[in-house]
Amino acid sequence: MNDVARVAQVALKTVSRYVNGATNIDPVLSKRIGDAIEELGYRRNLAAASIRPGWTSRMVGLIISDLANPYYSTLARAIEEILGAEGYMLIVASSEEDGEQHDRLVNRLIDQRVDGLIIVPPQKAGRDWSRFPPPIPPLVFLDRPGAYERADTVLADDRDGAAAATNTLLDAGARRIAFVGDSRGIYTMQERFHGYAAALEARGIPVDDALVQDGAHTGDHAARIVGELLDRGEADAVFAANNRASIGALFAFRERGRELPLVGFDDFEAAPLNVPAVTVATPDLDEMGRTAARLLLARLRGSDEPALTERLPVDVVLRGSQLPR
């Protein structure tokens, strides 16, 4: 900044005001400062500025479970839209459902002086939040609850959504409905299983453990599971408990040359392109992300309201795949 002031022939304080966005600087001086900055290649050191009293990094950290999953990229895009409009930069990282990785990322982001954190808690818990050294910046849990009493939380109503998805198949005549999804150690998957089970039991249909397949972490895993269900002839419909399970089911149907009624949880881009198009139970992911961002911004602006939990509804989008073939 001293170099810029010397080349522009202005006071250091004027350069400081310029780079901090002041708009009441004489236009002639502003042009000289801008020209000097361009000539010298000057860049503000925001990392250094963020440690000064009253200054912030204008950065927010987002920790999700899997960067490759479109579910989380949709959430991240919505969060970035809201934060970007307020001048914040979003840093995204993945815990891969590992508690130790989650802890390392939290420590690193706090060390980077992020102003706030939005976190999808991992399947394998890391340190208790009470054991993270202070100060902990404003924090929002997304998609799954976390154990920190001062954090806001944004969830989808996974249980009711899964019950609605299962009821859609029951209403279409199915009775032996397979549950295909990721590990039930994940909060969202456990909630979806409970909704599936509750819908069956309300119709007097007991849960058959042979039809509960919760090892489908990837689309390939789901395809193998659904292919085996088709080979055994045990199921007359499939509830795919996440987008990857739905995609895996479609691959298995194509490979085996026959299909079962299908309802998925979470929408995905190719769902309307299948024939028949895939019926899904889906939350509004854009609104989930926007809600998380707005809650965090409120905390960054000084809100000291008690921690909130926002639970968004899950709607069933009927497209035809729930019907018997």
Side-chain angles (χ1 to χ4, degrees):
M1 287 176 65
N2 277 309
D3 291 336
V4 171
R6 174 178 50 79
V7 171
Q9 298 180 5
V10 299
L12 177 61
K13 184 177 180 180
T14 306
V15 176
S16 177
R17 291 174 55 233
Y18 177 93
V19 298
N20 285 298
T23 58
N24 60 342
I25 301 173
D26 181 279
V28 174
L29 299 184
S30 290
K31 184 177 186 311
R32 288 194 345 223
I33 294 170
D35 290 344
I37 286 173
E38 184 175 349
E39 176 186 340
L40 297 171
Y42 168 78
R43 295 289 183 273
R44 292 182 66 194
N45 187 337
L46 291 176
S50 68
I51 66 175
R52 295 173 60 184
W55 290 58
T56 71
S57 66
R58 307 297 289 180
M59 294 190 298
V60 167
L62 170 63
I63 301 176
I64 58 177
S65 71
D66 185 354
L67 285 168
N69 191 330
Y71 179 93
Y72 293 111
S73 63
T74 301
L75 288 172
R77 180 187 62 190
I79 292 167
E80 187 175 48
E81 175 188 346
I82 297 297
L83 294 179
E86 298 294 327
Y88 287 87
M89 177 180 178
L90 186 67
I91 303 173
V92 185
S94 174
S95 70
E96 301 295 337
E97 302 290 0
D98 182 81
E100 292 184 359
Q101 170 75 349
H102 163 269
D103 290 351
R104 286 193 294 271
L105 291 171
V106 169
N107 287 336
R108 178 63 183 273
L109 288 167
I110 291 176
D111 288 347
Q112 292 290 136
R113 305 277 180 168
V114 295
D115 293 337
L117 292 167
I118 300 174
I119 291 177
V120 177
Q123 174 187 354
K124 298 177 182 177
R127 281 200 311 254
D128 187 281
W129 277 95
S130 65
R131 296 174 56 200
F132 276 93
I136 296 174
L139 171 62
V140 174
F141 292 123
L142 177 61
D143 193 45
R144 309 167 187 174
Y148 183 52
E149 61 185 14
R150 298 179 60 186
D152 297 317
T153 305
V154 181
L155 306 172
D157 198 340
D158 292 284
R159 189 175 299 212
D160 282 0
T166 306
N167 280 322
T168 298
L169 290 166
L170 290 167
D171 292 343
R175 288 299 177 267
R176 295 188 55 77
I177 301 172
F179 175 96
V180 180
D182 207 337
S183 167
R184 279 186 280 161
I186 300 172
Y187 168 83
T188 50
M189 207 55 53
Q190 181 74 345
E191 287 292 290
R192 294 170 194 178
F193 172 76
H194 284 317
Y196 156 86
L200 292 179
E201 291 166 0
R203 306 281 184 110
I205 303 171
V207 174
D208 185 343
D209 290 341
L211 297 178
V212 177
Q213 302 290 329
D214 61 355
H217 182 60
T218 67
D220 288 342
H221 291 161
R224 287 196 294 272
I225 288 169
V226 175
E228 291 168 2
L229 288 169
L230 288 168
D231 292 343
R232 295 198 302 267
E234 295 178 343
D236 62 10
V238 173
F239 168 48
N242 63 12
N243 53 5
R244 287 178 166 173
S246 296
I247 292 169
L250 295 177
F251 273 113
F253 294 164
R254 187 182 67 181
E255 289 174 354
R256 295 304 195 276
R258 63 191 184 92
E259 301 178 358
L260 295 175
L262 169 69
V263 175
F265 201 110
D266 303 332
D267 208 355
F268 57 101
E269 286 186 339
L273 303 179
N274 192 64
V275 180
V278 180
T279 292
V280 294
T282 185
D284 186 335
L285 295 183
D286 286 331
E287 185 57 27
M288 282 182 67
R290 289 192 293 263
T291 300
R294 289 172 184 141
L295 287 173
L296 186 67
L297 285 171
R299 297 300 179 185
L300 292 173
R301 291 166 182 153
S303 171
D304 59 358
E305 294 291 322
L308 301 172
T309 296
E310 297 279 355
R311 193 179 298 270
L312 278 65
V314 174
D315 297 320
V316 175
V317 181
L318 296 174
R319 295 184 175 130
S321 68
Q322 79 277 10
L323 300 174
R325 307 294 187 269

